[in-house]
Structures are given as structure tokens and as C-alpha cells.
Amino acid sequence: MADDGAWQKLAHLTDRIGPRLSGSRNLERAIEWAEAALRADGHDNVHREPVMVPHWVRGAEFGAIVAPIDRELAVLGLGGTVATPRRGVTAEVVVVDDFEQLARLGADRVRGKIVLFNKKMPATDPDHGSGYDEAVPYRTRGPVEAAKLGAVAALVRSVTTRSLRSPHTGATRYEDGVRKIPAVAVSTEDADLIARLAAAGERVVVRVRTSGRYLPDAKSANVIAELPGRERPEEIVLIGAHIDSWDVGQGAHDDGTGCAIVMQALTVLRRLGLRPRRTIRVVLFTNEENGLRGARQYAADHASEMANHVAAIESDTGGFKPKGFEVQGGPQALAQAADLVALLDPIGAGRAVKGFGGADLIPLALAGVPALGLWVDGRTYFDIHHTHADTLDKVDPTHLKMNVAAVATMAYALAEMPERFGAADRERAPAGR
Amino acid sequence: MADDGAWQKLAHLTDRIGPRLSGSRNLERAIEWAEAALRADGHDNVHREPVMVPHWVRGAEFGAIVAPIDRELAVLGLGGTVATPRRGVTAEVVVVDDFEQLARLGADRVRGKIVLFNKKMPATDPDHGSGYDEAVPYRTRGPVEAAKLGAVAALVRSVTTRSLRSPHTGATRYEDGVRKIPAVAVSTEDADLIARLAAAGERVVVRVRTSGRYLPDAKSANVIAELPGRERPEEIVLIGAHIDSWDVGQGAHDDGTGCAIVMQALTVLRRLGLRPRRTIRVVLFTNEENGLRGARQYAADHASEMANHVAAIESDTGGFKPKGFEVQGGPQALAQAADLVALLDPIGAGRAVKGFGGADLIPLALAGVPALGLWVDGRTYFDIHHTHADTLDKVDPTHLKMNVAAVATMAYALAEMPERFGAADRERAPAGR
């Protein structure tokens, strides 16, 4: 636990390189650095695998209430938003709490307006996790649903339960055949202000300007390194994270910590002189945030060895105090994971629960690979997620070390098992189902 | 408790008028509105008393690390800062944790540099309150101390323990005979980043630009209203708050809640048909934030009746759940306040502690008037204090009502006492000491 290699890596990635949106020079620098760092740690088969990624750039942004009061808004264009005309879009706002309210308004009352999706993210429930999944559809689908009814722009309440007037960006999606309208996040404070004015019967007029645009797809890469297996080197336990981030903040918890954790986990095992039965492979995926192109490219490039992926671990929910692993797999994988993770009881990370492995593991999970998500105490994760505040100071060095221990231990255990992890599940539902 | 008049007032002040820095048109609008609102509630002797106030304007601001990395900083000029040249000031940063470290560096290592005061605000101690008083001297005196050693600008770590990359403004003070250097707050995240880079041995160069400047003093006013006393109308229980705010956010907890609370407290007493022995006087002070000119003018204008001020209450620590009152007075006042405040036990606000009455009450306290500060559960106050995030959504309508009840009850009790509050203290230490 004394090794601060993960912190050193994370500090470089966040402080020296910074935010790493797909297509940016910073992401390229991060990939170059990661490859060099993995090489410096003495790993095998260190290389990058090319991926073409979307290249969206934010540009200048502005938002303000212009009637019945003048008040600047704290805005962040959603990732992928189109630009407004240079002078912006100025229109009356209609406020809806959810898609049902929008539907009830109908095209007559939405046409020509700016729709504010004011869906409040539910508080985190200790048993069922955050309310992220309930709120995030308004960010991803809200602009399209508003456009279908003739809206000229969409404002989306930032997906968070705590704010210090902090707008949260994140990907939005357009739909073929539906007009692309500008899509902008506003802080919860500003969403509340607009909603209060509207509820008081005021005609609220907002001006919003974005200059977000896509440049041609850019060259990028997944970065790979291995600790080769001693008996079944062709069988793989993947430990992954994503090296890209949004273009605000430092991408510290999302997902700098993940990168530092999986890189250092491999290094720790190597330095301990451990050589498990199977190969442990680090994959730093590119473009998780706005495309999943890295994950898809990995699955395509490695289709022929997909059946040899015994398990895949991702760390992408922040580098907070580890609690255990979420297991996305069959009943045997869940039962075996529960046994293995008990190794982490001494550091309080001994729980296995059924859950989600991670976005970059979706193509693997679809191919039948058991996916394990590093599970952490993420109560504050969505306070800083996709904001200017996702910075290194939010990371606890001790928690980071605990996560390295958790991933290293679990990867080693999975790679060392005499029988293949979750083999019985595979027989019930073969890969490629 | 059912009356939502305080909330209506606060909503108007924050949502419709907004931030109210001295000299601004918004402050003028707030004063006009407050006078009209007090009149509409039927109070006696509603009027304004002229005060000339400083008129500082922020203008454009910018900060960035330019070496060894390029990174924009989240900055807010400190209130009163002078401007940099148009292109800003660019210089190496020296980081100090406190004044002692600055002194040890000495002029040789400070001259021509930008000093970052990186004093961390101590966590709130439930017994001893916040660490604000320990950190704030770096905001008020840091720039002068840096200038004395030849610094060309000062950066000050925002005075807060929690941040989402939120810079905190607040007043700074220059000193005659010491060069006025630009003084800018940076977010705690950015202070940490600069400190980490410097600790790694890097030469950190920052560019900072402010265009803060003073315009000629502006006309402003304290606003006054009364519920006249039935037996001793010349004796006064003052209930006060300040109507100005900083120029960011909405001035909700600082001190919109205070204004709404004392205004509504008077209204509640009037509507109940209560007419206490002495006069209860609402005073909305102007220019608390950057000058205390309102408080000083009030003391000067009312010097002849100062001896008739029986007690003064201020609400200026946020409109959170009330706990009781801080008492700045002699032993009799403290003992009597403890008896009176027991009336508020049913709402959990029954405690009296020795403490500070409020900044606007300083001239009164110096003249021997017992000063009582409404004491609230302010654990989150300094998260939002002097930031863009001091907005209405942070106020709980129920807590606001409880504060109205607390101030109304205490003011009535003080005004109704047969004997004059703290009379024995006065005899020991006559007014004007």
C-alpha cells in the first residue's frame, strides 16, 4: 500500500496534461504519455491500436435570461451540440419536468420556443445507488424530443443533486430526420430560477449561444500493455479504464483515477514477481465519453480472441474508497466473484453485487465476457461529474492505493483460477449470443 | 408559521432584483422596493436616510497558468482591487501558506512576483464555529503584505472548505503608502494546482487581469420602519440586516434572508396587533460588504438617541435553521437573553451564547448597546458566501419562517420587558466608553 505510483501517474495525467476530449491535442499527449509510462514500468506487448474518433469542439458559449429580468446563466454546451447563429437564439422558455409534460404541451405550445428540461436528479439511495440513470435521459434525448415538437433550442438542468452553480456537460444525441437544435446544460440554480419565474406566470425569454461543431474525425488509439500468463497466455483478464475525458476540469475521477488504477495494478503485480496462469491485459480505451469508439474498435480488433477473454474489469465510477465489484455476468460468475472478492474484506472492499461492468465493456459483455465494475463509495461522484470541478484535489491518495490493491488482487485471482471464471455461464449462453 | 411573506420578499429581492453591490442600480432598486414593501405592510415612520457609499465595479477578469502548463484559472477579483494593465500582469508565482512563510521569503524572493496566499480555511468545529476568521486575514491583508515586499499581484485562495471550483470574492484593503497591487481570489482547486506544481519544483507563471476600479461615491440609503412603542416610544429595539450584497450570485443568504426576516418580523408583530412597551425599529443597512458606511452613518445620524437603544439584533449569518442568539453585551444582558430566548425552545432556537452581534451593529456595540446576532446552523454558509452560488434555492422556506418567529419573539420580548434590557451592564460601563 506504500507505493504512490498511481498518484504520480494521476497527477501527471491531470495536472500536466489536463482535460482530454476526443480529437484534442491533450488526448494525443495523454496516449503518448500512457504508452511511455507502461513501457517504463517494464510491461510486455505495450502498443497502441488506432481508432478514429469524433472531434467535437466547444467554442464560445453564453446564456442569459433577457426578460423579465437580465441575468447571466451558468451554461455548458452539451457534448455534440450544434452551434447557434452567431448572435445566438433568443426565445421564450417553456419549462417541463419530464417527457410526459412535454408531450402534454404538444407542438402548438413548443414550436419556436426554448424547452428547459428541469428534471431533478433524485437523491442517492444507499441501497439503489444514484439517481443518475433517471435524470440522464433528459440530457441524451431531451433535445431531440424538444426538436420533434418544433423547439428552437433545449436547456437541460445539470444532472446533479449538489451544485455551486456548476453546469455539467455530457453527451447528447441527435436523430436522423429530426432538426438538430442547440443543446445546453444550465446549472441547477439557473434552472430553478427560470422555473420560479415561469411558475410566477412570467414570460421568460432566454438568449443562448453556442458555437459547438464537429471537425473531421481524428486519429486516436487504445493503449495496451500486458503481464503474460505463465500457463494459458492466450486467455485474458482485461483491466480497463478510459483515457479520454470531457474538455472541462481535469478528468480526475472520470476517468483519470481509472487509468492510474489499472496501470498501477499491473505494475504492482509485475514488481511482486507474480506471474498468473493467464495474461492480464491493461486496456486504456479512447473516446468513452462521446462515442465509445475505442470500446467498439477493441471488440472488432480482438474479435478472434473474444472467446478467450475470461473476464474484464473496468474502473470508471471514480477513484473513491472501494466497496467491492459490480458483476455483470451469469450466476456462476456472480458466485465466484463473491468468493474471490472476499480477499478484499480486510480493506473493506469485499462485496460483490450484481450490476454494471462499465461502458467500455459493453461490447465484451454482449459477447458473453463477464464484466466487473470496480465498485466505490461514489456519493460525491455526480457532484463533480463532467464539470470544471473534476480535479485532482478531489482524489484521496489512500483511496487510490486501495483501488490499486483491489484491482490487482481481483485481476490476479481471476487470472490464476484453475478453472476458467464463469465457465458454466458460458456453456449456458455461448459467446456471440 | 404559515405566513410566507418573508419568502415573497426574499424571492423579489433575489430573483427580481438580484445582486446589489454598493453603487449599483440594483442596490438602488432594492432600496426603493424595500421602502415600498415596508410601507405596504403598514409600518410607521418608513423612510430612507441618505448614505454616500463606495462605488467599485468589477469589470472584466481573467486568470491563467501560462507555464509550465496552460490552464485557465477560476478567478474573482477581490472587492476593491485595482486594475492590472490592459494585457494583465504576467509573473512567476510564489506560494505561501501564511504570513510567516511570506516574511521568511523576504523581499528578495517576492519582488516582481505574484504571491499566492494558500491558507486553507480550517474545517468548521461544532463547538467553535467556522474557520472563517482564521483564513479571512489573507483576503483582507494579504495583498498589502505582499505589496510591501514588492509583489506585483496577489492571488488569494478562496475562503471556503468546500468548492466546486467556485471562487469567493470579498473585501480587501489597501494601505496608504503601500503600492496597490491587483488582488484576485482563485478557487481552492486552482490554488491547489498551483501549489502542487510549485512543490514539484516548477517555475509557475501566471497571467492575471482585472479591471476593477472605483467610480465616485454614490448616493444610497439606510431604510427604516417602526412599530412604535406604547409606553416608551423613545426607547428602541433595533432589528437589522444589510440590503447590499456582493455583485455575484443573488445575495440570498448574505443577506437577503436577513432583510426578509427582519422586515417580516415587524409585519408579523403588527398583524398580531401587538404593541410592545418600546419601539421596534427595522434598519436595513446599506454598504455592509465593502465599507460599513451605512452602519457608521446610522450611528452618526442617531447619536443623540444612541443611549435610548435598548438592544439591537442583526441577522447576517444566513437564513438557516435558527439555534438561538449570540449575545455581545455584558453579563446581565447575557443572562437575560438566556431567559428570553428560552421562549424559542419549542422551535429548537432556545440557546444564548456569548458572541458577535453583527458587522452593522459594531458602532452600536461600541456605544454600549447590547448586540444580538441571530444564530443559525451555518454549516454550509461559507460554501456559498460571496459566490455565484448564493442563490434562493439554497434557502429553506421553513427555516426562513422559523427565523422570522425567532426575531419577532426576541424583539417583542426585549421591547416589552418592564426593566430595560441589560440596564445593570450600562451602569457598569456607560455608553460612549
Side-chain angles (χ1 to χ4, degrees):
Chain A
M1 290 285 286
D3 179 89
D4 70 345
W7 183 264
Q8 298 295 341
K9 288 176 170 72
L10 181 62
H12 190 94
L13 196 58
T14 53
D15 282 353
R16 302 307 177 106
I17 297 174
R20 311 169 289 283
L21 188 59
S22 287
S24 68
R25 174 75 191 117
N26 269 9
L27 178 57
E28 281 307 288
R29 290 174 58 210
I31 288 167
E32 285 162 20
W33 162 80
E35 189 183 358
L38 289 164
R39 225 177 273 285
D41 280 356
H43 297 306
D44 290 75
N45 194 20
V46 176
H47 66 285
R48 60 174 82 183
E49 298 182 347
V51 183
M52 293 302 288
V53 295
H55 188 186
W56 178 81
V57 291
R58 176 175 302 282
E61 297 174 332
F62 174 81
I65 302 173
V66 297
I69 56 170
D70 290 311
R71 206 69 64 82
E72 201 167 326
L73 299 170
V75 300
L76 263 185
L78 293 180
T81 184
V82 295
T84 58
R86 270 184 83 87
R87 304 200 46 177
V89 167
T90 304
E92 184 180 349
V93 179
V94 290
V95 182
V96 298
D97 288 339
D98 52 35
F99 289 126
E100 291 64 37
Q101 277 193 18
L102 180 73
R104 278 202 297 278
L105 284 177
D108 282 355
R109 287 157 71 191
V110 171
R111 195 175 300 114
K113 307 271 174 54
I114 295 173
V115 172
L116 165 61
F117 290 98
N118 193 31
K119 173 71 182 182
K120 289 183 178 64
M121 177 169 159
T124 295
D125 176 326
D127 294 326
H128 300 98
S130 81
Y132 186 70
D133 289 346
E134 196 171 320
V136 85
Y138 295 89
R139 189 192 80 204
T140 52
R141 296 197 293 113
V144 162
E145 297 304 323
K148 284 177 182 169
L149 297 179
V152 293
L155 302 178
V156 178
R157 181 188 180 93
S158 286
V159 181
T160 185
T161 57
R162 287 208 294 186
S163 176
L164 293 172
R165 200 153 174 267
S166 356
H168 291 231
T169 189
T172 195
R173 283 199 290 272
Y174 293 117
E175 222 175 270
D176 286 344
V178 179
R179 187 180 156 211
K180 294 179 179 178
I181 61 173
V184 172
V186 296
S187 70
T188 60
E189 286 89 341
D190 288 327
D192 284 338
L193 172 58
I194 293 169
R196 285 193 302 267
L197 292 170
E202 296 284 357
R203 184 173 175 272
V204 183
V205 179
V206 158
R207 183 157 81 87
V208 63
R209 186 185 158 214
T210 75
S211 39
R213 68 192 189 285
Y214 277 101
L215 303 178
D217 282 1
K219 286 184 182 172
S220 186
N222 296 324
V223 182
I224 292 186
E226 291 181 346
L227 179 65
R230 67 169 193 276
E231 277 184 20
R232 300 188 205 158
E234 76 288 358
E235 290 192 356
I236 293 151
V237 171
L238 184 154
I239 57 177
H242 66 84
I243 194 159
D244 66 308
S245 75
W246 280 103
D247 61 330
V248 294
Q250 296 186 327
H253 277 292
D254 185 17
D255 183 21
T257 49
C259 294
I261 289 163
V262 300
M263 291 169 80
Q264 197 64 17
L266 199 71
T267 298
V268 164
L269 293 175
R270 181 173 295 275
R271 293 204 182 140
L272 290 171
L274 296 172
R275 191 103 197 205
R277 208 176 300 269
R278 299 175 187 82
T279 294
I280 300 178
R281 175 183 290 172
V282 164
V283 182
L284 304 179
F285 296 95
T286 192
N287 183 228
E288 187 272 346
E289 294 294 3
N290 57 343
L292 277 185
R293 298 265 192 99
R296 291 192 185 119
Q297 189 72 50
Y298 179 86
D301 291 348
H302 297 265
S304 66
E305 59 175 8
M306 199 51 65
N308 276 333
H309 279 66
V310 166
I313 295 175
E314 181 154 30
S315 166
D316 185 23
T317 55
F320 304 97
K321 189 166 187 289
K323 297 166 75 173
F325 287 87
E326 293 190 61
V327 183
Q328 182 177 9
Q332 191 191 31
L334 190 58
Q336 289 178 324
D339 285 345
L340 298 178
V341 83
L343 292 167
L344 295 166
D345 265 336
I347 61 165
R351 292 178 65 191
V353 293
K354 200 164 169 58
F356 180 59
D360 291 307
L361 305 186
I362 290 172
L364 301 175
L366 287 173
V369 179
L372 292 88
L374 177 61
W375 183 37
V376 299
D377 178 4
R379 281 174 293 183
T380 60
Y381 184 57
F382 289 108
D383 301 350
I384 59 170
H385 184 249
H386 297 181
T387 75
H388 289 283
D390 183 5
T391 50
L392 183 58
D393 53 286
K394 309 299 190 306
V395 181
D396 180 318
T398 301
H399 294 166
L400 195 66
K401 287 180 187 173
M402 292 169 76
N403 281 312
V404 172
V407 170
T409 302
M410 199 65 175
Y412 182 78
L414 289 164
E416 187 60 21
M417 290 174 74
E419 297 302 312
R420 182 183 167 127
F421 181 69
D425 299 330
R426 287 244 177 172
E427 279 158 30
R428 291 177 8 171
R433 66 191 156 168
Chain B
M1 290 285 285
D3 180 88
D4 71 345
W7 182 264
Q8 299 294 342
K9 289 176 170 72
L10 181 61
H12 190 94
L13 196 57
T14 54
D15 283 352
R16 302 306 176 107
I17 297 174
R20 310 170 290 282
L21 188 58
S22 286
S24 67
R25 174 76 191 114
N26 269 10
L27 178 56
E28 280 308 289
R29 289 174 58 210
I31 288 167
E32 285 162 20
W33 162 81
E35 188 183 359
L38 290 163
R39 226 178 271 286
D41 281 356
H43 297 307
D44 290 74
N45 194 21
V46 177
H47 66 285
R48 60 174 85 184
E49 297 182 346
V51 183
M52 292 303 288
V53 294
H55 189 186
W56 177 81
V57 291
R58 176 175 302 282
E61 296 175 334
F62 174 80
I65 301 173
V66 297
I69 56 170
D70 291 311
R71 206 71 63 83
E72 200 166 326
L73 300 170
V75 299
L76 263 184
L78 293 181
T81 184
V82 295
T84 57
R86 269 185 82 87
R87 303 199 47 178
V89 167
T90 304
E92 184 180 348
V93 178
V94 291
V95 182
V96 299
D97 288 339
D98 52 36
F99 289 126
E100 290 65 36
Q101 276 193 18
L102 181 72
R104 278 202 297 277
L105 283 177
D108 282 355
R109 288 157 72 191
V110 170
R111 196 175 299 114
K113 308 272 175 56
I114 295 172
V115 173
L116 166 61
F117 290 97
N118 193 32
K119 173 70 181 181
K120 289 183 177 64
M121 176 170 159
T124 295
D125 175 326
D127 294 327
H128 300 99
S130 82
Y132 186 70
D133 289 346
E134 198 171 320
V136 85
Y138 296 88
R139 189 192 79 203
T140 52
R141 295 197 292 114
V144 162
E145 297 304 322
K148 285 177 182 169
L149 298 179
V152 293
L155 303 178
V156 178
R157 182 189 179 93
S158 287
V159 180
T160 185
T161 58
R162 286 207 295 185
S163 177
L164 293 173
R165 201 154 173 268
S166 354
H168 291 231
T169 190
T172 195
R173 283 200 290 270
Y174 293 115
E175 222 175 88
D176 287 344
V178 179
R179 188 179 156 212
K180 294 179 179 179
I181 62 173
V184 172
V186 295
S187 70
T188 61
E189 286 89 341
D190 289 326
D192 285 336
L193 172 60
I194 293 169
R196 286 193 302 267
L197 293 169
E202 297 284 358
R203 184 172 175 273
V204 184
V205 180
V206 158
R207 185 157 81 86
V208 62
R209 187 186 157 212
T210 74
S211 39
R213 67 193 190 284
Y214 277 101
L215 303 178
D217 283 2
K219 288 184 182 173
S220 187
N222 296 323
V223 182
I224 292 187
E226 292 181 345
L227 179 66
R230 68 170 193 277
E231 278 184 17
R232 301 189 205 158
E234 75 288 359
E235 291 192 355
I236 293 151
V237 172
L238 184 155
I239 57 177
H242 67 83
I243 193 159
D244 66 308
S245 75
W246 281 103
D247 60 330
V248 294
Q250 296 186 326
H253 277 292
D254 186 17
D255 185 22
T257 48
C259 294
I261 289 163
V262 300
M263 290 169 81
Q264 197 64 19
L266 199 70
T267 298
V268 164
L269 293 175
R270 181 173 294 275
R271 292 204 182 139
L272 289 172
L274 295 172
R275 191 104 199 204
R277 208 176 299 268
R278 299 175 186 81
T279 294
I280 300 177
R281 176 185 291 172
V282 164
V283 182
L284 305 179
F285 295 95
T286 192
N287 184 228
E288 187 272 345
E289 294 293 3
N290 58 341
L292 277 186
R293 299 266 192 98
R296 291 192 185 120
Q297 189 71 50
Y298 179 86
D301 290 349
H302 298 265
S304 66
E305 59 174 6
M306 199 52 65
N308 276 332
H309 280 67
V310 166
I313 295 175
E314 181 155 29
S315 166
D316 186 23
T317 56
F320 304 96
K321 190 167 185 292
K323 298 166 73 172
F325 286 86
E326 292 189 62
V327 183
Q328 182 177 6
Q332 190 192 32
L334 191 58
Q336 289 179 324
D339 285 346
L340 298 178
V341 82
L343 291 166
L344 295 166
D345 265 336
I347 62 165
R351 292 178 64 191
V353 293
K354 200 164 168 60
F356 180 61
D360 291 307
L361 305 186
I362 291 173
L364 301 176
L366 287 173
V369 179
L372 294 88
L374 178 61
W375 183 36
V376 298
D377 178 4
R379 282 174 294 183
T380 61
Y381 183 57
F382 289 109
D383 301 350
I384 59 169
H385 184 247
H386 296 183
T387 76
H388 288 285
D390 183 7
T391 49
L392 183 59
D393 53 287
K394 308 299 190 307
V395 181
D396 181 318
T398 301
H399 294 167
L400 195 66
K401 287 180 187 173
M402 292 169 76
N403 282 313
V404 172
V407 170
T409 303
M410 199 66 176
Y412 182 79
L414 290 164
E416 185 63 18
M417 290 174 73
E419 297 303 312
R420 183 183 166 128
F421 181 68
D425 299 328
R426 288 246 177 170
E427 280 158 30
R428 291 178 8 173
R433 64 188 155 172

